[in-house]
Structures are given as C-alpha cells and as structure tokens.
Amino acid sequence: MTSEPGTSEVSRTRRVVVLVVAAVVAVQLFGVTIISIPPQSAPPGTRTAAEVVLPAYFEEEWKLFAPSPVNADRDLMVQAAWRDGGTVTTGEWINLTAVDDSVVAHSVGAPRSAYLTSRLAGGLEAVWSNADPEVRTAVAEASSPGDPLDEAEVAEALGSEDVTGLARDLIVERDAGATTYLTDVFRSMEPGRELVAVRYGTRLSTAPPWERRHEAEKSVGRTVAGPWRVPAADDPERRRSVGGYLERHS
C-alpha cells in the first residue's frame, strides 16, 4: 500500500511542530525553575548581614509541609537617631521587610529578597528567646539614642548569671550583624546627616485561622525593640550597594 501524496510531508510537519512545542515548554519550565530557585547568596549589599546572621540561610523549611503550616509573618522594624546641630533626633520605625516584600510581589520569578529581613527578624527572636524577657528589656533600657551601646557593652549588659555563655555569644553576634545592616540602610537613606544610633525591633503578624480567612484580618503585634546601638564603621562600597537596592525597590 502506498501513502497518498503529501502524507509524508504532513507527518514530517507534525513532528517538527511537536518538537518545537516540546522545546518551548522545556525552555519555559527550565527558565521558571531557575529564576524561582533561591539564590546562593544574599541580595546585593546585604551579604555582610547574611553571612554574620544567617549561616543556615537556605536550610529546608519542613514546617511548610507540616499539618500546621506557617501562619505568621515576622517583620524587621528599624529606627535611627541623628545629630542635627547639638540635638539628637529620633526617626520613626520603618518596616524594612515591607521593602523586601515589594520585590517579591512585583517579580515574576519571586526572588527570595524578603528572606533576609524576615529571617533576620526570626533569627534575632530565636537567640533572644534564650534570655528572659526581663533581661532583653533591661538591655534595651540600658541604652538611649544619645547613649547607644557598642558590641562589648551589649555583652556586658547581658550579664553572666541569667544568660549562658553560648546564648550570650549568639545574641551579640546576631545583634552585631543586624547593626551592620541597619547602619548601611540609614546611611544610604540620609547620606548628608550624622548617624549616631540605630536599633532594630521584631514584630509578629499572625494570619487568621483558615476557617475565618474571609472574615478576619491579619493581627499585627507590637514591636519588641532591641538596644540602641553604636553604628558600624562606614563601608562606602557596601553602603552604595544597599542604597541602590533600596532606591530600586522602595
């Protein structure tokens, strides 16, 4: 039996179309996968904070698959104090996680930019949980915008009786990493002003139960503040990188 004229050409055309469509689908899937995978380093300008504060930056998040998945967001709240003439003025709290969240919301690939500030907030909460709330409050109250603490003074304020050595070292380390990042953030925001103190705060916002998701709103908690800290030494290159990131996404 012989095939009708043109049958082989139709079959060949069909194979070519199928191969082209399959190639396009494969490229699309590969591309979406690549841009959606968390980067192997922190966003530009934030590597110092990530390296100091987030050694397990990309560990598995098994709680996402647990019977009770994540139902809360942690915000990194930041504040600064400036010297204007002979007066020290204090700025308002800024939700730095909201800046990173905007990157995720407006990107097809959903980069994990917000991981830095949300995990930084979570990491700070984790290490501070090793100290009694009274100790954390006492350390925060031992400082002020006009009299911030340096790294050694934070360790001293934590004491040796209420906080174990390992926990104290972790608190001091993560506190220093957060201070470095905050310093770069505020110096890039206000390059012409004298920065005299920075501090961070953590805020927990819980989502309503699933069965009430259409009738209830997210509950925004209070900001738990850390101590006022002496700004880190200026690093122009790092500050410019952080400034460029904030300018693009604020």
Side-chain angles (χ1 to χ4, degrees):
M1 178 182 295
T2 59
S3 59
E4 297 181 5
T7 301
S8 58
E9 294 182 6
V10 172
S11 178
R12 187 180 304 110
T13 302
R14 183 181 296 115
R15 286 197 297 270
V16 170
V17 171
V18 170
L19 288 174
V20 170
V21 171
V24 170
V25 171
V27 170
Q28 181 187 28
L29 289 174
F30 179 77
V32 171
T33 300
I34 289 299
I35 64 177
S36 298
I37 292 176
Q40 295 305 305
S41 60
T46 63
R47 290 187 176 87
T48 298
E51 290 167 0
V52 173
V53 182
L54 308 173
Y57 193 48
F58 297 113
E59 74 273 16
E60 295 281 358
E61 285 290 349
W62 292 112
K63 60 177 175 283
L64 293 174
F65 306 97
S68 299
V70 177
N71 64 350
D73 295 323
R74 292 193 182 278
D75 295 325
L76 181 66
M77 309 297 292
V78 299
Q79 193 175 25
W82 313 88
R83 179 171 286 112
D84 296 310
T87 305
V88 173
T89 58
T90 304
E92 300 292 331
W93 283 107
I94 297 173
N95 185 352
L96 205 57
T97 300
V99 176
D100 286 346
D101 281 339
S102 70
V103 183
V104 176
H106 295 93
S107 175
V108 175
R112 271 54 172 180
S113 300
Y115 273 24
L116 179 67
T117 52
S118 61
R119 287 207 176 194
L120 180 50
L124 289 165
E125 279 291 318
V127 294
W128 276 110
S129 67
N130 294 299
D132 291 334
E134 294 79 7
V135 173
R136 182 173 183 175
T137 300
V139 174
E141 292 180 348
S143 63
S144 68
D147 187 20
L149 305 180
D150 60 24
E151 190 171 330
E153 290 171 330
V154 170
E156 183 180 355
L158 285 168
S160 57
E161 297 181 359
D162 299 319
V163 184
T164 63
L166 176 60
R168 185 171 59 253
D169 291 345
L170 287 173
I171 292 173
V172 172
E173 180 186 64
R174 296 198 177 188
D175 176 87
T179 298
T180 300
Y181 184 39
L182 267 59
T183 298
D184 293 333
V185 166
F186 283 113
R187 282 191 174 139
S188 65
M189 286 181 173
E190 301 277 357
R193 301 178 71 186
E194 182 183 355
L195 182 67
V196 296
V198 297
R199 71 169 172 173
Y200 55 82
T202 55
R203 189 177 70 180
L204 182 67
S205 301
T206 57
W210 176 258
E211 60 273 12
R212 298 187 58 215
R213 63 191 183 280
H214 297 305
E215 59 187 72
E217 296 182 355
K218 182 179 292 187
S219 174
V220 179
R222 69 182 183 90
T223 298
V224 181
W228 283 102
R229 292 282 277 106
V230 174
D234 188 29
D235 184 321
E237 182 177 355
R238 191 182 62 218
R239 172 167 41 83
R240 283 194 297 270
S241 181
V242 171
Y245 176 81
L246 294 173
E247 183 179 356
R248 290 193 302 273
H249 303 298
S250 295

